[in-house]
Short mmCIF file of all heavy atoms in Angstrom, two decimals:
data_model
loop_
_atom_site.label_atom_id
_atom_site.label_comp_id
_atom_site.label_asym_id
_atom_site.label_seq_id
_atom_site.Cartn_x
_atom_site.Cartn_y
_atom_site.Cartn_z
N VAL A 298 -13.02 -2.79 13.39
CA VAL A 298 -13.95 -2.76 12.28
C VAL A 298 -13.38 -1.90 11.16
O VAL A 298 -12.88 -0.81 11.40
CB VAL A 298 -15.31 -2.20 12.72
CG1 VAL A 298 -16.26 -2.09 11.53
CG2 VAL A 298 -15.92 -3.09 13.79
N LEU A 299 -13.46 -2.40 9.94
CA LEU A 299 -13.03 -1.64 8.77
C LEU A 299 -14.27 -1.00 8.16
O LEU A 299 -15.19 -1.69 7.74
CB LEU A 299 -12.38 -2.57 7.75
CG LEU A 299 -12.02 -1.96 6.39
CD1 LEU A 299 -10.98 -0.88 6.58
CD2 LEU A 299 -11.53 -3.02 5.44
N THR A 300 -14.31 0.33 8.13
CA THR A 300 -15.45 1.00 7.51
C THR A 300 -15.42 0.77 6.01
O THR A 300 -14.38 0.69 5.40
CB THR A 300 -15.44 2.50 7.79
OG1 THR A 300 -14.34 3.08 7.10
CG2 THR A 300 -15.33 2.79 9.27
N ALA A 301 -16.59 0.70 5.40
CA ALA A 301 -16.67 0.44 3.96
C ALA A 301 -15.99 1.54 3.16
O ALA A 301 -15.32 1.30 2.16
CB ALA A 301 -18.14 0.31 3.54
N THR A 302 -16.16 2.78 3.61
CA THR A 302 -15.54 3.90 2.89
C THR A 302 -14.03 3.81 2.93
O THR A 302 -13.34 4.00 1.93
CB THR A 302 -16.00 5.24 3.49
OG1 THR A 302 -17.42 5.32 3.41
CG2 THR A 302 -15.39 6.41 2.73
N ALA A 303 -13.50 3.51 4.09
CA ALA A 303 -12.04 3.42 4.22
C ALA A 303 -11.49 2.29 3.37
O ALA A 303 -10.47 2.45 2.69
CB ALA A 303 -11.66 3.22 5.68
N LEU A 304 -12.16 1.14 3.38
CA LEU A 304 -11.68 0.00 2.61
C LEU A 304 -11.70 0.32 1.11
O LEU A 304 -10.78 -0.04 0.38
CB LEU A 304 -12.56 -1.22 2.89
CG LEU A 304 -12.21 -2.50 2.12
CD1 LEU A 304 -10.80 -2.93 2.44
CD2 LEU A 304 -13.21 -3.60 2.44
N ALA A 305 -12.71 1.05 0.68
CA ALA A 305 -12.83 1.34 -0.75
C ALA A 305 -11.77 2.30 -1.23
O ALA A 305 -11.42 2.31 -2.41
CB ALA A 305 -14.22 1.93 -1.04
N THR A 306 -11.24 3.12 -0.34
CA THR A 306 -10.30 4.16 -0.79
C THR A 306 -8.85 3.82 -0.52
O THR A 306 -7.96 4.49 -1.01
CB THR A 306 -10.61 5.50 -0.10
OG1 THR A 306 -10.54 5.31 1.32
CG2 THR A 306 -12.01 5.98 -0.48
N TRP A 307 -8.59 2.76 0.24
CA TRP A 307 -7.19 2.39 0.47
C TRP A 307 -6.71 1.50 -0.66
O TRP A 307 -7.41 0.62 -1.14
CB TRP A 307 -7.04 1.64 1.79
CG TRP A 307 -5.60 1.27 2.05
CD1 TRP A 307 -4.64 2.08 2.57
CD2 TRP A 307 -4.97 0.02 1.75
NE1 TRP A 307 -3.44 1.41 2.62
CE2 TRP A 307 -3.61 0.14 2.13
CE3 TRP A 307 -5.40 -1.18 1.21
CZ2 TRP A 307 -2.70 -0.89 2.00
CZ3 TRP A 307 -4.49 -2.21 1.06
CH2 TRP A 307 -3.16 -2.06 1.47
N ALA A 308 -5.48 1.76 -1.14
CA ALA A 308 -4.90 0.94 -2.19
C ALA A 308 -3.47 0.62 -1.84
O ALA A 308 -2.70 1.50 -1.51
CB ALA A 308 -4.97 1.66 -3.54
N ALA A 309 -3.13 -0.66 -1.89
CA ALA A 309 -1.73 -1.04 -1.67
C ALA A 309 -0.90 -0.60 -2.86
O ALA A 309 -1.41 -0.44 -3.97
CB ALA A 309 -1.64 -2.56 -1.52
N PRO A 310 0.39 -0.35 -2.68
CA PRO A 310 1.25 0.01 -3.81
C PRO A 310 1.19 -1.05 -4.91
O PRO A 310 1.23 -2.24 -4.64
CB PRO A 310 2.65 0.07 -3.18
CG PRO A 310 2.40 0.37 -1.74
CD PRO A 310 1.12 -0.33 -1.40
N ALA A 311 1.04 -0.57 -6.17
CA ALA A 311 0.90 -1.50 -7.29
C ALA A 311 2.27 -1.98 -7.74
O ALA A 311 2.98 -1.29 -8.44
CB ALA A 311 0.17 -0.80 -8.44
N LEU A 312 2.63 -3.19 -7.32
CA LEU A 312 3.97 -3.70 -7.59
C LEU A 312 4.01 -4.66 -8.77
O LEU A 312 5.00 -5.32 -9.00
CB LEU A 312 4.51 -4.41 -6.34
CG LEU A 312 4.59 -3.58 -5.07
CD1 LEU A 312 5.19 -4.41 -3.95
CD2 LEU A 312 5.41 -2.31 -5.29
N ALA A 313 2.91 -4.76 -9.53
CA ALA A 313 2.86 -5.75 -10.61
C ALA A 313 3.32 -5.19 -11.94
O ALA A 313 3.10 -5.80 -12.97
CB ALA A 313 1.44 -6.28 -10.74
N ALA A 314 3.96 -4.02 -11.95
CA ALA A 314 4.45 -3.43 -13.20
C ALA A 314 5.75 -4.09 -13.60
O ALA A 314 6.03 -5.23 -13.22
CB ALA A 314 4.61 -1.93 -13.01
N GLY A 315 6.58 -3.39 -14.39
CA GLY A 315 7.84 -3.95 -14.83
C GLY A 315 8.74 -4.31 -13.66
O GLY A 315 8.61 -3.77 -12.57
N PRO A 316 9.69 -5.21 -13.87
CA PRO A 316 10.54 -5.67 -12.78
C PRO A 316 11.44 -4.58 -12.21
O PRO A 316 11.82 -4.65 -11.05
CB PRO A 316 11.36 -6.79 -13.42
CG PRO A 316 11.29 -6.53 -14.89
CD PRO A 316 9.96 -5.91 -15.13
N ALA A 317 11.78 -3.58 -12.99
CA ALA A 317 12.70 -2.54 -12.49
C ALA A 317 12.06 -1.75 -11.36
O ALA A 317 12.70 -1.46 -10.35
CB ALA A 317 13.12 -1.62 -13.62
N ALA A 318 10.79 -1.39 -11.52
CA ALA A 318 10.10 -0.64 -10.46
C ALA A 318 9.93 -1.48 -9.21
O ALA A 318 10.14 -1.01 -8.09
CB ALA A 318 8.75 -0.15 -10.95
N SER A 319 9.56 -2.74 -9.39
CA SER A 319 9.40 -3.63 -8.25
C SER A 319 10.71 -3.78 -7.48
O SER A 319 10.73 -3.74 -6.25
CB SER A 319 8.92 -5.01 -8.71
OG SER A 319 7.66 -4.92 -9.33
N ALA A 320 11.80 -3.94 -8.20
CA ALA A 320 13.10 -4.10 -7.55
C ALA A 320 13.52 -2.82 -6.83
O ALA A 320 14.06 -2.87 -5.72
CB ALA A 320 14.16 -4.48 -8.59
N ALA A 321 13.25 -1.67 -7.44
CA ALA A 321 13.63 -0.40 -6.81
C ALA A 321 12.82 -0.16 -5.55
O ALA A 321 13.35 0.30 -4.53
CB ALA A 321 13.44 0.74 -7.80
N LEU A 322 11.52 -0.44 -5.60
CA LEU A 322 10.70 -0.28 -4.41
C LEU A 322 11.15 -1.21 -3.30
O LEU A 322 11.21 -0.82 -2.12
CB LEU A 322 9.23 -0.54 -4.75
CG LEU A 322 8.53 0.57 -5.56
CD1 LEU A 322 7.22 0.06 -6.14
CD2 LEU A 322 8.29 1.79 -4.69
N ALA A 323 11.48 -2.45 -3.65
CA ALA A 323 11.91 -3.42 -2.64
C ALA A 323 13.23 -3.02 -1.99
O ALA A 323 13.49 -3.37 -0.83
CB ALA A 323 12.04 -4.80 -3.27
N ALA A 324 14.06 -2.28 -2.72
CA ALA A 324 15.37 -1.89 -2.19
C ALA A 324 15.29 -0.68 -1.28
O ALA A 324 16.26 -0.37 -0.57
CB ALA A 324 16.33 -1.60 -3.34
N ASN A 325 14.17 0.02 -1.29
CA ASN A 325 14.01 1.21 -0.47
C ASN A 325 13.23 0.92 0.81
O ASN A 325 12.65 -0.16 0.98
CB ASN A 325 13.30 2.29 -1.28
CG ASN A 325 14.23 2.98 -2.25
OD1 ASN A 325 15.28 3.48 -1.88
ND2 ASN A 325 13.85 3.00 -3.53
N GLN A 326 13.22 1.91 1.70
CA GLN A 326 12.44 1.77 2.93
C GLN A 326 10.98 1.51 2.59
O GLN A 326 10.41 2.18 1.73
CB GLN A 326 12.55 3.03 3.78
CG GLN A 326 11.77 2.93 5.09
CD GLN A 326 11.75 4.25 5.86
OE1 GLN A 326 12.15 5.27 5.35
NE2 GLN A 326 11.29 4.19 7.09
N ALA A 327 10.36 0.57 3.25
CA ALA A 327 8.96 0.23 2.97
C ALA A 327 8.03 1.35 3.43
O ALA A 327 8.33 2.09 4.37
CB ALA A 327 8.59 -1.07 3.67
N SER A 328 6.91 1.45 2.75
CA SER A 328 5.88 2.41 3.13
C SER A 328 5.33 2.09 4.51
O SER A 328 5.18 0.93 4.90
CB SER A 328 4.74 2.37 2.11
OG SER A 328 3.62 3.09 2.57
N HIS A 329 5.02 3.15 5.26
CA HIS A 329 4.40 2.97 6.58
C HIS A 329 2.92 2.61 6.45
O HIS A 329 2.31 2.08 7.38
CB HIS A 329 4.52 4.25 7.41
CG HIS A 329 3.75 5.41 6.83
ND1 HIS A 329 4.31 6.30 5.94
CD2 HIS A 329 2.46 5.81 6.99
CE1 HIS A 329 3.41 7.21 5.59
NE2 HIS A 329 2.28 6.92 6.20
N ASP A 330 2.30 2.89 5.30
CA ASP A 330 0.86 2.74 5.14
C ASP A 330 0.48 1.28 4.96
O ASP A 330 1.16 0.53 4.25
CB ASP A 330 0.40 3.55 3.93
CG ASP A 330 -1.10 3.65 3.84
OD1 ASP A 330 -1.75 3.79 4.89
OD2 ASP A 330 -1.64 3.59 2.72
N SER A 331 -0.60 0.87 5.60
CA SER A 331 -1.10 -0.50 5.47
C SER A 331 -2.61 -0.50 5.58
O SER A 331 -3.23 0.49 6.00
CB SER A 331 -0.51 -1.39 6.57
OG SER A 331 -1.03 -1.02 7.83
N ALA A 332 -3.23 -1.62 5.21
CA ALA A 332 -4.69 -1.72 5.28
C ALA A 332 -5.20 -1.51 6.69
O ALA A 332 -6.27 -0.93 6.91
CB ALA A 332 -5.14 -3.08 4.74
N ALA A 333 -4.43 -1.93 7.67
CA ALA A 333 -4.85 -1.79 9.06
C ALA A 333 -5.00 -0.33 9.48
O ALA A 333 -5.81 -0.01 10.36
CB ALA A 333 -3.85 -2.49 9.98
N ASP A 334 -4.23 0.56 8.84
CA ASP A 334 -4.33 1.98 9.17
C ASP A 334 -5.70 2.55 8.82
O ASP A 334 -6.12 3.56 9.38
CB ASP A 334 -3.26 2.78 8.43
CG ASP A 334 -1.86 2.39 8.83
OD1 ASP A 334 -1.70 1.77 9.90
OD2 ASP A 334 -0.92 2.69 8.06
N HIS A 335 -6.39 1.90 7.88
CA HIS A 335 -7.66 2.41 7.39
C HIS A 335 -8.84 1.68 8.04
O HIS A 335 -9.95 1.68 7.51
CB HIS A 335 -7.70 2.27 5.87
CG HIS A 335 -6.59 3.00 5.18
ND1 HIS A 335 -6.78 4.12 4.42
CD2 HIS A 335 -5.25 2.77 5.17
CE1 HIS A 335 -5.61 4.56 3.96
NE2 HIS A 335 -4.67 3.74 4.40
#
């Protein structure tokens, strides 16, 4: 079960910015955090 509070406060990394940031994030180790953790 996903609690409402947890769902409201979790945010995935915002990758929709300029292409340089998206490319740099993709080239690095991925974040361990996911919606399932919350």
Side-chain angles (χ1 to χ4, degrees):
V298 177
L299 173 63
T300 68
T302 301
L304 179 60
T306 58
W307 181 82
L312 302 182
S319 298
L322 286 166
N325 282 306
Q326 181 186 11
S328 169
H329 65 270
D330 190 38
S331 69
D334 297 342
H335 302 250

